[in-house]
Amino acid sequence: MSHLGYAAGMDSFQATIDADGRIEPRDAMPDGYRKTLIRQIAQHAHSEIIGMQPEGNWISRAPSLRRKAILMAKVQDEAGHGLYLYAAAETLGVDRADVLDLLHSGKQKYSSIFNYPTLTWADIGAIGWLVDGAAIVNQVPLCRCSYGPYARAMVRVCKEESFHQRQGFEILYTLCNGTPEQKAMAQDALDRWWWPSLMMFGPPDSASTHSEQSMAWGIKRHSNDELRQRFVDMTVPQADVLGLRVPDDGLSYDEEAGHYRFSEPDYTELYDVVKGNGPCNQERLAHRVKAHEDGAWVREAAAAYAEKQALKEAAA
Amino acid sequence: MIEPLWEIFVRSRRGLSHTHVGSLHAPDATMALRNARDVYTRRQEGVSIWVVRASDITASSPDEKDEFFDPAGDKVYRHPTFYQVPEGVEHL
Amino acid sequence: MTDLFVYSLRLGDDALISAQRTAEWIAAAPQLEEDVALGNIGLDQLGQARTLLQYAGTVEGAGRSEDDLAYFRDEREFLNLQLCELPNGDFAHAMARLLYFATYQQLLYEELLKSSDEMLSGVAGKAVKEVAYHVDHATQWVLRLGDGTEESHQRMQAGLDALWPYTAEMFSSDELVQRLDVAVDPSTLQDEWTRRVTAVIDESTCGRPESSYQHSGGREGRHTEHMGYLLAELQHVARSHPGATW
């Protein structure tokens, strides 16, 4: 039944996709579909765990105990999100340890946004508001992704992330209504995080390489530029509420279209950071590799202990 | 691979059955249970947790789905909507 | 300064400084599952700290908030155990400290449940469940590291030994706890603590640490050199903007 079963499987794959159904782990699927998903889910997971660093840096320095608790819970959530996503990748037949090795050896990427430094407390607000805001715009459509385990992981992630964005906005709102120094800190953070946030949606549609096939497979639902526009439309009025200036002289509202017009980000910078030349690429990866290597003896010990206990049980 | 994969099932509240919520890695069942508590019930999502070693699960194959599941399709008499209830009869 | 104020600070500072150290593990733990677990433990500790420092502020009656007490006291005014402020060291050190400290907290809170001070018994009621989980977590790891590989056994032993000289301070009694009838005299907890901790150490196949010189001073605001750096990091943003709201 093997070759017949395979062909039938592929037919049913396409039929499921066409009917906007969900593909599940043991279904037959084209190699390209599997590979695309593994890469995308793994890189998404890597982004979650590397993303713990720029914010984790500030847990020890958070300026109030309430903020400290919120930030700890948030960074902890990111570890949880990484876990959900690695688990989703594993349903496609890869191992978390192997996928982590690909991150550690630089063969797989993570979101470039996390290669920018967090310089002041206001950056923690900006990350929550802008970076998590952009992530949510990217992720909400993924809750309807054609691959079941990824879609389910994203439902969980999105549910938990809504507090992340709000706490970021709240940090900035408090700063903007605080002392002049605090407000300046908030503006400075927006100035530095605005363009990198816009670049989180990837290269412009005219230059995007993976988009078409991913759209056909129901992995991607909207183009990079569509999502970027959605983010700008959502965010600019929020900046007005904060009383902050979006650092784009070309920004204007197009009444007729009902959209904000904005300047094109400098994508050469994006490509540079992706290539490894961002301000923090080296540190982020080195920190991650160190945590992993420092933990090796712990993981080995736990495995050795489990083995000993299993032997004892078998002997008893 | 050092650490086995565990599938996690959580009972979200009394009266409901355990539902699959995801998976995680742990060296043994004791740690799997504890990790599951931390990872999958941070927001009070559960009152009871099962952990099952992923390799211990036997699953039906998608290739067999026709012979597995289609035969149930014509047994409509298993569903209450199959039966006609005369008008005016309640609590049935 | 009333006795109750000082007593609340002692317990609150223990929890706050522990939370500060525990949080350093987030994004640096041996595996992702452990990042999440230590995050939970740190959040529990921080929660206890906040309630206790708020209470201290109320008892004092000078209008100081939890943040005033956490961010605007100097090193000599912090009353936590030195055990809590020591740098993390490796994961075995962290689990040794958690075993020692959480077992102490568990016994303390079990007693404090009976306190006639409703606020303190209320804190204890919530915290006693949290620290039971911390004890369990530490126990699971001490067993695994102690009876895991040769390397982990050595590291676990080293961690248990290194922190042992900071344990007696947990149980040192003084006039204040003897005077304050709503407080628990920690010296009454030591025997049971030793019994519970050595049971775990024995099962882990590690050796019981030899009794040795015991450090003290935290309760009087005399700390290790590490404390200054810890506070510098904890306090610097808040102190750079006095009077600001966050």
Side-chain angles (χ1 to χ4, degrees):
Chain A
M1 91 173 225
S2 60
H3 72 278
L4 282 177
Y6 186 76
M10 282 307 162
D11 281 352
S12 95
F13 171 83
Q14 200 50 54
T16 306
I17 295 284
D18 293 344
D20 200 18
R22 295 290 175 270
I23 303 297
E24 293 297 341
R26 289 157 56 86
D27 290 342
M29 58 186 90
D31 234 26
Y33 180 82
R34 183 185 298 273
K35 281 190 184 139
T36 301
L37 274 169
I38 291 175
R39 193 191 62 234
Q40 183 173 335
I41 301 174
Q43 296 192 356
H44 196 160
H46 301 333
S47 302
E48 292 283 354
I49 65 166
I50 295 287
M52 293 168 73
Q53 291 181 39
E55 292 177 283
N57 279 338
W58 278 89
I59 294 175
S60 63
R61 293 175 286 171
S64 76
L65 297 185
R66 175 172 173 270
R67 291 289 173 207
K68 191 190 284 285
I70 293 170
L71 187 57
M72 264 171 92
K74 177 176 192 262
V75 178
Q76 185 203 29
D77 269 351
E78 278 148 18
H81 297 171
L83 274 171
Y84 306 157
L85 288 162
Y86 284 121
E90 284 184 298
T91 63
L92 291 158
V94 291
D95 214 278
R96 184 168 99 195
D98 297 336
V99 175
L100 277 173
D101 283 344
L102 291 174
L103 167 67
H104 298 155
S105 60
K107 290 191 185 111
Q108 278 184 345
K109 305 285 182 199
Y110 52 88
S111 177
S112 285
I113 193 80
F114 300 118
N115 288 322
Y116 291 89
T118 44
L119 302 179
T120 72
W121 172 250
D123 289 28
I124 300 306
I127 288 190
W129 175 44
L130 296 174
V131 175
D132 290 308
I136 291 171
V137 169
N138 261 328
Q139 287 168 358
V140 165
L142 288 173
C143 298
R144 294 186 296 116
C145 160
S146 64
Y147 187 58
Y150 191 25
R152 289 192 287 275
M154 290 320 300
V155 169
R156 217 179 161 88
V157 169
C158 286
K159 231 190 253 173
E160 298 186 352
E161 286 230 328
S162 52
F163 114 72
H164 295 184
Q165 195 194 9
R166 281 193 190 181
Q167 66 87 36
F169 187 81
E170 194 194 76
I171 287 175
L172 291 177
Y173 191 79
T174 309
L175 293 178
C176 290
N177 290 283
T179 65
E181 290 79 13
Q182 284 179 304
K183 175 136 194 200
M185 199 191 281
Q187 182 64 56
D188 169 56
L190 174 57
D191 291 346
R192 281 181 290 110
W193 289 93
W194 175 256
W195 296 109
S197 299
L198 288 192
M199 288 190 267
M200 283 177 69
F201 298 93
D205 292 352
S206 53
S208 181
T209 43
H210 303 299
S211 283
E212 249 173 71
Q213 182 61 69
S214 286
M215 296 262 239
W217 276 332
I219 297 174
K220 203 172 158 72
R221 299 281 180 179
H222 306 278
S223 80
N224 294 352
D225 287 338
E226 272 170 43
L227 293 172
R228 195 172 357 253
Q229 181 69 55
R230 190 176 294 176
F231 173 73
V232 172
D233 289 343
M234 193 180 89
T235 309
V236 173
Q238 293 169 352
D240 293 342
V241 173
L242 292 173
L244 295 179
R245 185 190 163 274
V246 173
D248 178 0
D249 291 331
L251 188 74
S252 66
Y253 188 66
D254 181 340
E255 295 257 355
E256 214 167 295
H259 291 296
Y260 284 90
R261 300 290 165 218
F262 55 98
S263 310
E264 172 116 320
D266 175 11
Y267 288 108
T268 52
E269 180 186 312
L270 174 69
Y271 299 133
D272 239 16
V273 180
V274 171
K275 265 185 241 148
N277 299 323
C280 299
N281 294 55
Q282 317 288 333
E283 288 98 317
R284 298 287 187 247
L285 205 53
H287 179 98
R288 175 64 216 151
V289 169
K290 182 173 187 308
H292 188 72
E293 286 175 355
D294 285 354
W297 68 272
V298 176
R299 298 189 298 274
E300 281 157 22
Y305 177 86
E307 210 169 300
K308 282 186 202 174
Q309 293 303 112
L311 283 175
K312 270 188 208 164
E313 253 174 57
Chain B
M1 182 59 212
I2 295 176
E3 297 208 320
L5 187 69
W6 301 80
E7 298 298 336
I8 313 302
F9 300 79
V10 171
R11 184 198 296 288
S12 55
R13 56 186 162 82
R14 296 189 169 279
L16 297 181
S17 45
H18 287 75
T19 308
H20 183 243
V21 293
S23 54
L24 51 74
H25 286 277
D28 53 49
T30 309
M31 291 309 282
L33 208 47
R34 281 156 179 76
N35 290 342
R37 175 259 193 195
D38 287 320
V39 174
Y40 288 104
T41 66
R42 292 199 301 289
R43 290 176 167 78
Q44 296 184 302
E45 293 97 333
V47 295
S48 163
I49 302 173
W50 290 346
V51 298
V52 183
R53 207 183 267 261
S55 58
D56 285 345
I57 293 178
T58 308
S60 64
S61 155
D63 293 341
E64 293 163 350
K65 76 172 176 224
D66 293 351
E67 56 267 41
F68 253 64
F69 304 115
D70 284 1
D74 63 355
K75 299 185 178 55
V76 287
Y77 42 80
R78 288 192 197 277
H79 301 278
T81 45
F82 177 74
Y83 301 94
Q84 286 190 351
V85 178
E87 223 162 289
V89 177
E90 290 178 37
H91 309 298
L92 193 71
Chain C
M1 281 204 294
T2 67
D3 289 346
L4 184 56
F5 171 67
V6 172
Y7 186 68
S8 307
L9 278 186
R10 287 182 183 181
L11 304 191
D13 287 348
D14 282 352
L16 175 65
I17 303 304
S18 297
Q20 186 79 358
R21 286 298 188 209
T22 305
E24 289 173 19
W25 279 104
I26 301 176
Q31 55 193 9
L32 275 173
E33 284 83 356
E34 196 59 25
D35 283 299
V36 181
L38 290 170
N40 275 348
I41 291 172
L43 280 168
D44 289 342
Q45 293 169 333
L46 185 55
Q48 293 163 17
R50 293 183 62 191
T51 316
L52 286 159
L53 292 181
Q54 276 164 22
Y55 186 49
T58 310
V59 169
E60 186 191 35
R64 284 204 278 183
S65 67
E66 59 178 57
D67 288 334
D68 292 330
L69 290 169
Y71 291 92
F72 293 92
R73 271 184 301 151
D74 289 333
E75 181 175 337
R76 298 283 276 110
E77 299 170 83
F78 274 82
L79 304 179
N80 57 283
L81 302 161
Q82 292 184 357
L83 176 68
C84 302
E85 75 207 34
L86 296 172
N88 281 341
D90 70 7
F91 189 67
H93 277 69
M95 290 302 110
R97 166 157 57 191
L98 189 62
L99 178 70
Y100 292 163
F101 179 63
T103 306
Y104 154 78
Q105 275 195 309
Q106 188 178 26
L107 291 166
L108 174 77
Y109 287 134
E110 280 168 5
E111 281 305 307
L112 210 53
L113 277 174
K114 303 171 205 155
S115 170
S116 59
D117 184 297
E118 272 179 33
M119 190 62 204
L120 288 180
S121 66
V123 173
K126 181 166 181 296
V128 78
K129 292 181 212 153
E130 295 169 349
V131 295
Y133 190 77
H134 305 175
V135 171
D136 177 72
H137 192 77
T139 302
Q140 297 301 335
W141 274 116
V142 171
L143 297 181
R144 279 161 183 74
L145 300 180
D147 196 13
T149 63
E150 200 171 311
E151 180 186 3
S152 72
H153 178 84
Q154 280 171 13
R155 284 177 181 263
M156 194 65 245
Q157 187 69 59
L160 291 166
D161 291 345
L163 296 169
W164 190 260
Y166 295 89
T167 54
E169 193 185 6
M170 296 189 283
F171 309 107
S172 68
S173 182
D174 63 3
E175 282 177 16
L176 184 144
V177 289
Q178 288 161 14
R179 256 192 331 257
L180 186 65
D181 59 356
V182 297
V184 174
D185 181 344
S187 63
T188 60
L189 309 173
Q190 186 157 18
D191 289 345
E192 180 58 17
W193 181 88
T194 307
R195 200 188 62 72
R196 290 190 191 184
V197 164
T198 49
V200 176
I201 295 176
D202 290 348
E203 196 187 335
S204 79
T205 75
C206 286
R208 296 181 191 184
E210 309 263 320
S211 55
S212 57
Y213 175 78
Q214 291 284 336
H215 301 272
S216 66
R219 295 292 188 225
E220 288 83 48
R222 279 182 287 113
H223 294 281
T224 64
E225 284 189 348
H226 308 292
M227 185 68 175
Y229 294 98
L230 183 150
L231 288 179
E233 202 169 324
L234 186 140
Q235 297 178 332
H236 102 265
V237 178
R239 289 200 176 202
S240 305
H241 302 265
T245 304
W246 303 96

